[in-house]
């Protein structure tokens, strides 16, 4: 956020859409930690932050937080339901991918990628079902009209 703060003109707005853990996430719960780590691993994320960290970071670099909202909360429909794949559909797709790979039509590693994506979808679904994860945390910030540069160039 610091780099955005530096380049924005005073009074400009900045919006960020973040993947975060929610207030329901308990780092002391091994099952919840497994779900979050599965999401991070499967989506090649460096580490999910808690939603409260987003506004805190924005304020630290000098932004005014105008609005924060989890766009995944009702009345939005559950985003993760589209990721749920039944076992029959999974195995059908797995067989097709395996055959295509064996015939040399699909590149080497396609079967492994299919399995990884299925596992990741399962972690995302579990994160959504339990409410410990949101991929739709929006924060709207404004660079104040008058700012003190708190970061050295």
């Amino acid at each position: 956020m610091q780099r955005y703060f530096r380049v924005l003109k005073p009074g400009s707005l900045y919006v960020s859409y973040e993947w975060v853990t929610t207030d329901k996430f308990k780092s002391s719960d091994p099952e919840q930690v497994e779900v979050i780590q599965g999401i991070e691993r499967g989506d090649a994320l460096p580490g999910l932050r808690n939603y409260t960290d987003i506004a805190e970071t924005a304020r630290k670099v000098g932004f005014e937080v105008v609005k924060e909202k989890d766009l995944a909360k009702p009345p939005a429909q559950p985003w993760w339901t589209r990721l749920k794949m039944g076992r029959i559909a999974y195995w059908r797709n797995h067989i097709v991918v395996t055959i295509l790979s064996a015939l040399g039509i699909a590149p080497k590693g396609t079967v492994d990628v299919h399995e990884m994506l299925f596992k990741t979808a399962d972690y995302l679904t579990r994160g959504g079902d339990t409410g410990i994860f949101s991929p739709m945390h929006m924060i709207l910030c404004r660079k104040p009209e008058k700012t003190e540069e708190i970061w050295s160039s």
Side-chain angles (χ1 to χ4, degrees):
M1 276 190 199
Q2 174 185 349
R3 108 179 49 147
Y4 303 119
F5 187 84
R6 282 186 180 176
V7 299
L8 287 174
K9 292 179 183 178
S12 295
L13 295 173
Y14 165 74
V15 68
S16 179
Y17 199 69
E18 305 278 343
W19 285 30
V20 296
T21 59
T22 70
D23 56 346
K24 293 183 180 181
F25 174 66
K26 305 293 180 244
S27 60
S28 59
D29 183 330
E31 188 175 330
Q32 289 186 8
V33 170
E34 177 191 348
V35 169
I36 296 302
Q37 288 177 346
I39 292 170
E40 293 167 343
R41 202 171 31 257
D43 290 295
L45 300 172
L48 291 172
R49 295 184 291 175
N50 186 277
Y51 76 100
T52 59
D53 295 340
I54 307 303
E56 182 180 324
T57 301
R59 287 184 187 100
K60 276 184 184 176
V61 300
F63 280 114
E64 296 170 358
V65 175
V66 176
K67 184 172 185 171
E68 262 190 288
K69 184 174 183 178
D70 185 347
L71 300 175
K73 288 186 176 179
Q77 296 297 314
W79 57 268
W80 61 92
T81 57
R82 294 175 188 89
L83 297 173
K84 289 185 178 182
M85 181 187 298
R87 293 288 166 194
I88 293 171
Y90 167 77
W91 284 109
R92 179 199 62 222
N93 292 351
H94 189 71
I95 289 168
V96 170
V97 167
T98 302
I99 292 170
L100 292 174
S101 186
L103 294 173
I105 296 170
K108 183 179 179 181
T110 301
V111 174
D112 294 334
V113 170
H114 178 260
E115 289 174 1
M116 184 269 304
L117 291 173
F118 178 76
K119 287 178 186 174
T120 302
D122 183 57
Y123 284 123
L124 287 163
T125 300
R126 288 166 57 192
D129 276 339
T130 58
I132 64 170
F133 166 75
S134 174
M136 301 190 314
H137 182 80
M138 185 273 305
I139 184 168
L140 177 64
C141 303
R142 176 181 291 116
K143 182 173 181 175
E145 290 293 337
K146 292 186 179 189
T147 63
E148 284 184 35
E149 287 298 325
I150 57 175
W151 301 99
S152 58
S153 296

